[in-house]
Amino acid sequence: MAQVFGPKANTLARLSLLGAFGGAALFMIALVIYSRSPYPAFIQKSPDQPVPFSHQLHAGGLKIDCRYCHAGVEVSAAASVPATQTCMTCHSQIKTDSAALAPVRDSWATGQPVAWNRVHDLGDFAYFNHSIHVAKGVGCSTCHGQVDQMAKVQQVEPLTMGWCLDCHRAPEQYIRPADQVFNMEWVPPADQTEQGLKLIQEYNIQVSRLTNCSICHR
Amino acid sequence: MSDEPLNLEKIRARLADARGPQYWRSLDELAATAQFRDFLDREFPRQASEWNDPSPVSRRRFLKLMGASLALAGLTGCSFEQPQEQILPYVTKPDPVVPGLPLFFATAMPLGGYATGLLVRSNEGRPTKVEGNPDHPASLGATDVYAQASLLTLYDPDRSQRVTSAGQPRTWEDFLAALNGALTPLRSNGGAGLRILTEASTSPTLAAQMQALLTALPQARWVAYEPAGDSARLGTQQAFGQDVHPVYRFEQGPRGAVARRRCAAVHAGARALCARHRRRALDAGRREHDEPDLRGRVGADDHRGAGRPPAAAARQRRRGVCPRAGAGTGRRGRAGRGARRRARAAGWKGWSRICRPIAGRALLIAGDSQPPAVHALAHAINAALGNTGTTVIYTEPVVTSPIDQAGGLRQLVQEMAGGQVQALLIVGGNPAYSAAADVDFAGALKSVPFSAHLSLYEDETSALTTWHIPRRTTSSPGAMRAPTTARPRSSSR
């Protein structure tokens, strides 16, 4: 009777077994590497907004301070997007016929809020408080990038836990003097580490506590 | 269904051979044409479990496929990206609101007519937590279970949301029309037949409004019924012959505050209250005297001593042991008055040894659930110990609603049953449920042609009245007053 399996069948069997296990292992490793990389977290997220608000114009060109609109950033956990009333403080008189501003005018007239699409979105399992970061010398551009040069807000940092921990473990690399917090053009000086350590003393930052799980995972 | 004409001969022949009843759903079925069989096979596969078309699928394979589908269905949960969220800011942000920060509003809630000062935390306009108001002298920042639970009352989906009459939703205008219709004939005879039943109220506004109403309609009556009873008021009336309100100055007696209270809910948390007052007084720099504390710790509840009548208490006093009022079921009336007389007349052994050193710094409070006689006795003891003016002062009455003289509700029910009441307005409370067992309020309601009930819930009383109006808030109409807000009397009582 003819053999069903030829002499190469053994080799084939062994190779395919190794290949299967090896392939599975490689796949798992690839998956882990991919999920820990920045790509799946934010993929350069920049959703469209109902109103094409340009930070480049308002914050960059007109030099309106961040806090004029994001008023809660120094006192509250949420930086807060401005109310329609804030937009209307200028746009009741400037560009009153602009089609791009129609949703703002409609909101003002009808009392329905403008539905902005969130760009920087942490998971609901993580608690983030803006006011403490601003108070302790973390600048806006450190996490949000140079917003005053963005025509459309784009997320430039991954905002993953690992990325947050990079700073929480070594805040001296990232913090800046209080008067520079809202300065979008600030770059860390050459002696950032030394300056940073001084600032840690000055702001009374307890670095050992920054890696406590429950400061974010309440 | 079939294109060729049915062969009736064939059908007849088939039926001719049949024995017994033959059932068919259509002539096509009876004819059993090939076309029909085809259609039937496609429409109703006879052996679906074997799934003969196109390849044999066994049950095993079927289960494998379904199991795999179920397992892989979980993959839809895997997503690296979060769903797109939206931010909806205010259109006009109220000035004090900072999104993310809570606001605290000072308010008060009534319990038994008395007000409890509260601070309610509001997150973006949603009340989220009730705290006590530390500046309020009656509570000093404490709350009781009722204050904490009142937050849930705000969100309770069972609260009534519409005006109803006999179970049917109606409008506010309908109610006003019916109310007018019921009251107009009563205006001509001075309001005879109009009765207003409220809970105990400390509101001067309400009292003024009711006074105005009763002046305009002299035959109408205002009845106040508090299910927890009016023992305290009746007790002071018994003791002093007039309606006075005792104000207890816990801070005057830094260590000798004898508070034998039986968990009176109206005076929230006596234990904590005494402790707070004591702490406050101590913080103010008073020094404690080094004397034996005779009657236990501040604010201790009396769970013992059940069933000690006031007469026995008077005997104890004569033996030189100051009694603990708050005895469980004291005998009313005669024994109470007798004990009081005896107490005043008796000379006490050991008085100078035990009671005099603490005179003026002790305090005796009877629990709210005690009968009026025990309250009267407590006032007598306080007077005898010389506490009046220091640890307890008497002021004008804080409660402005009429005293429910045991007969208040009973008399009303009698009038209702007798057909003397044409219009009954019930403001708050649930008298059909909370009236005493021998007072048939529910039955008497049937004899009242027009009755309206204002309440938070559609409860037992609402089911029996002709109209039910939902109450919007738990606060009382007009103001409320707390037990310690009245001005002291000028006399030296």
Side-chain angles (χ1 to χ4, degrees), chain A residues 35-51:
Chain A
S35 64
R36 282 165 192 268
S37 73
Y39 295 104
F42 72 118
I43 319 173
Q44 303 295 326
K45 188 172 166 188
S46 178
D48 285 329
Q49 303 291 346
V51 177

mmCIF file of all heavy atoms in Angstrom, chain A residues 35-51:
data_model
loop_
_atom_site.group_PDB
_atom_site.id
_atom_site.type_symbol
_atom_site.label_atom_id
_atom_site.label_comp_id
_atom_site.label_asym_id
_atom_site.label_seq_id
_atom_site.Cartn_x
_atom_site.Cartn_y
_atom_site.Cartn_z
ATOM 1 N N SER A 35 0.881 47.920 21.326
ATOM 2 C CA SER A 35 -0.044 48.577 22.253
ATOM 3 C C SER A 35 0.676 49.512 23.202
ATOM 4 O O SER A 35 0.079 50.433 23.738
ATOM 5 C CB SER A 35 -0.832 47.529 23.040
ATOM 6 O OG SER A 35 0.043 46.789 23.848
ATOM 7 N N ARG A 36 1.952 49.268 23.425
ATOM 8 C CA ARG A 36 2.680 50.161 24.325
ATOM 9 C C ARG A 36 3.281 51.354 23.598
ATOM 10 O O ARG A 36 3.841 52.241 24.217
ATOM 11 C CB ARG A 36 3.805 49.411 25.039
ATOM 12 C CG ARG A 36 3.289 48.564 26.174
ATOM 13 C CD ARG A 36 4.343 47.563 26.624
ATOM 14 N NE ARG A 36 3.754 46.596 27.508
ATOM 15 C CZ ARG A 36 3.716 46.718 28.831
ATOM 16 N NH1 ARG A 36 4.266 47.761 29.403
ATOM 17 N NH2 ARG A 36 3.144 45.801 29.569
ATOM 18 N N SER A 37 3.186 51.347 22.303
ATOM 19 C CA SER A 37 3.745 52.476 21.559
ATOM 20 C C SER A 37 2.706 53.594 21.511
ATOM 21 O O SER A 37 1.540 53.376 21.810
ATOM 22 C CB SER A 37 4.107 52.024 20.147
ATOM 23 O OG SER A 37 2.932 51.842 19.402
ATOM 24 N N PRO A 38 3.126 54.768 21.136
ATOM 25 C CA PRO A 38 2.166 55.878 21.112
ATOM 26 C C PRO A 38 1.083 55.737 20.066
ATOM 27 O O PRO A 38 0.052 56.367 20.172
ATOM 28 C CB PRO A 38 3.036 57.098 20.811
ATOM 29 C CG PRO A 38 4.424 56.680 21.060
ATOM 30 C CD PRO A 38 4.479 55.213 20.838
ATOM 31 N N TYR A 39 1.310 54.916 19.052
ATOM 32 C CA TYR A 39 0.422 54.970 17.891
ATOM 33 C C TYR A 39 -1.040 54.675 18.192
ATOM 34 O O TYR A 39 -1.908 55.429 17.828
ATOM 35 C CB TYR A 39 0.951 54.057 16.784
ATOM 36 C CG TYR A 39 2.264 54.554 16.277
ATOM 37 C CD1 TYR A 39 3.449 53.933 16.650
ATOM 38 C CD2 TYR A 39 2.328 55.679 15.473
ATOM 39 C CE1 TYR A 39 4.658 54.416 16.222
ATOM 40 C CE2 TYR A 39 3.536 56.165 15.034
ATOM 41 C CZ TYR A 39 4.700 55.526 15.417
ATOM 42 O OH TYR A 39 5.891 56.003 15.015
ATOM 43 N N PRO A 40 -1.316 53.565 18.835
ATOM 44 C CA PRO A 40 -2.744 53.311 19.051
ATOM 45 C C PRO A 40 -3.398 54.331 19.978
ATOM 46 O O PRO A 40 -4.591 54.507 19.969
ATOM 47 C CB PRO A 40 -2.766 51.923 19.673
ATOM 48 C CG PRO A 40 -1.405 51.717 20.220
ATOM 49 C CD PRO A 40 -0.483 52.496 19.367
ATOM 50 N N ALA A 41 -2.602 55.029 20.796
ATOM 51 C CA ALA A 41 -3.208 55.921 21.781
ATOM 52 C C ALA A 41 -3.786 57.166 21.147
ATOM 53 O O ALA A 41 -4.821 57.653 21.560
ATOM 54 C CB ALA A 41 -2.181 56.302 22.832
ATOM 55 N N PHE A 42 -3.140 57.706 20.179
ATOM 56 C CA PHE A 42 -3.661 59.007 19.734
ATOM 57 C C PHE A 42 -3.578 59.234 18.246
ATOM 58 O O PHE A 42 -4.297 60.049 17.710
ATOM 59 C CB PHE A 42 -2.971 60.136 20.472
ATOM 60 C CG PHE A 42 -1.523 60.356 20.039
ATOM 61 C CD1 PHE A 42 -1.144 61.547 19.465
ATOM 62 C CD2 PHE A 42 -0.554 59.374 20.232
ATOM 63 C CE1 PHE A 42 0.177 61.768 19.096
ATOM 64 C CE2 PHE A 42 0.754 59.590 19.868
ATOM 65 C CZ PHE A 42 1.124 60.796 19.300
ATOM 66 N N ILE A 43 -2.753 58.527 17.559
ATOM 67 C CA ILE A 43 -2.641 58.596 16.099
ATOM 68 C C ILE A 43 -2.860 60.020 15.594
ATOM 69 O O ILE A 43 -3.671 60.275 14.710
ATOM 70 C CB ILE A 43 -3.641 57.630 15.420
ATOM 71 C CG1 ILE A 43 -3.687 56.311 16.197
ATOM 72 C CG2 ILE A 43 -3.186 57.312 14.006
ATOM 73 C CD1 ILE A 43 -4.734 55.364 15.723
ATOM 74 N N GLN A 44 -2.159 60.981 16.232
ATOM 75 C CA GLN A 44 -2.226 62.375 15.773
ATOM 76 C C GLN A 44 -3.677 62.843 15.679
ATOM 77 O O GLN A 44 -4.131 63.326 14.660
ATOM 78 C CB GLN A 44 -1.545 62.512 14.396
ATOM 79 C CG GLN A 44 -0.098 62.043 14.399
ATOM 80 C CD GLN A 44 0.786 62.888 15.280
ATOM 81 O OE1 GLN A 44 0.565 64.082 15.388
ATOM 82 N NE2 GLN A 44 1.783 62.286 15.916
ATOM 83 N N LYS A 45 -4.348 62.728 16.787
ATOM 84 C CA LYS A 45 -5.791 62.962 16.778
ATOM 85 C C LYS A 45 -6.107 64.438 16.572
ATOM 86 O O LYS A 45 -5.592 65.306 17.282
ATOM 87 C CB LYS A 45 -6.329 62.506 18.136
ATOM 88 C CG LYS A 45 -7.806 62.488 18.267
ATOM 89 C CD LYS A 45 -8.155 61.816 19.601
ATOM 90 C CE LYS A 45 -9.591 62.074 19.955
ATOM 91 N NZ LYS A 45 -9.879 61.612 21.297
ATOM 92 N N SER A 46 -6.938 64.715 15.620
ATOM 93 C CA SER A 46 -7.357 66.092 15.401
ATOM 94 C C SER A 46 -8.757 66.094 14.805
ATOM 95 O O SER A 46 -8.935 66.242 13.600
ATOM 96 C CB SER A 46 -6.371 66.791 14.457
ATOM 97 O OG SER A 46 -6.787 68.099 14.214
ATOM 98 N N PRO A 47 -9.760 65.924 15.641
ATOM 99 C CA PRO A 47 -11.122 65.842 15.096
ATOM 100 C C PRO A 47 -11.605 67.200 14.583
ATOM 101 O O PRO A 47 -11.130 68.249 15.015
ATOM 102 C CB PRO A 47 -11.941 65.388 16.304
ATOM 103 C CG PRO A 47 -11.162 65.833 17.477
ATOM 104 C CD PRO A 47 -9.728 65.798 17.087
ATOM 105 N N ASP A 48 -12.557 67.125 13.700
ATOM 106 C CA ASP A 48 -13.172 68.355 13.189
ATOM 107 C C ASP A 48 -14.081 68.953 14.248
ATOM 108 O O ASP A 48 -14.700 68.248 15.036
ATOM 109 C CB ASP A 48 -13.999 68.047 11.932
ATOM 110 C CG ASP A 48 -13.104 67.811 10.741
ATOM 111 O OD1 ASP A 48 -12.013 68.416 10.698
ATOM 112 O OD2 ASP A 48 -13.481 66.997 9.878
ATOM 113 N N GLN A 49 -14.167 70.266 14.235
ATOM 114 C CA GLN A 49 -14.997 70.944 15.222
ATOM 115 C C GLN A 49 -16.177 71.623 14.530
ATOM 116 O O GLN A 49 -16.085 71.966 13.352
ATOM 117 C CB GLN A 49 -14.169 72.006 15.975
ATOM 118 C CG GLN A 49 -12.937 71.469 16.666
ATOM 119 C CD GLN A 49 -13.281 70.585 17.852
ATOM 120 O OE1 GLN A 49 -14.416 70.577 18.320
ATOM 121 N NE2 GLN A 49 -12.314 69.842 18.338
ATOM 122 N N PRO A 50 -17.252 71.839 15.240
ATOM 123 C CA PRO A 50 -18.399 72.515 14.611
ATOM 124 C C PRO A 50 -18.070 73.933 14.152
ATOM 125 O O PRO A 50 -18.635 74.423 13.173
ATOM 126 C CB PRO A 50 -19.467 72.518 15.708
ATOM 127 C CG PRO A 50 -18.748 72.240 16.964
ATOM 128 C CD PRO A 50 -17.534 71.454 16.618
ATOM 129 N N VAL A 51 -17.172 74.574 14.886
ATOM 130 C CA VAL A 51 -16.733 75.905 14.493
ATOM 131 C C VAL A 51 -15.231 75.821 14.258
ATOM 132 O O VAL A 51 -14.508 75.344 15.124
ATOM 133 C CB VAL A 51 -17.026 76.940 15.612
ATOM 134 C CG1 VAL A 51 -16.507 78.301 15.224
ATOM 135 C CG2 VAL A 51 -18.502 76.978 15.922
#
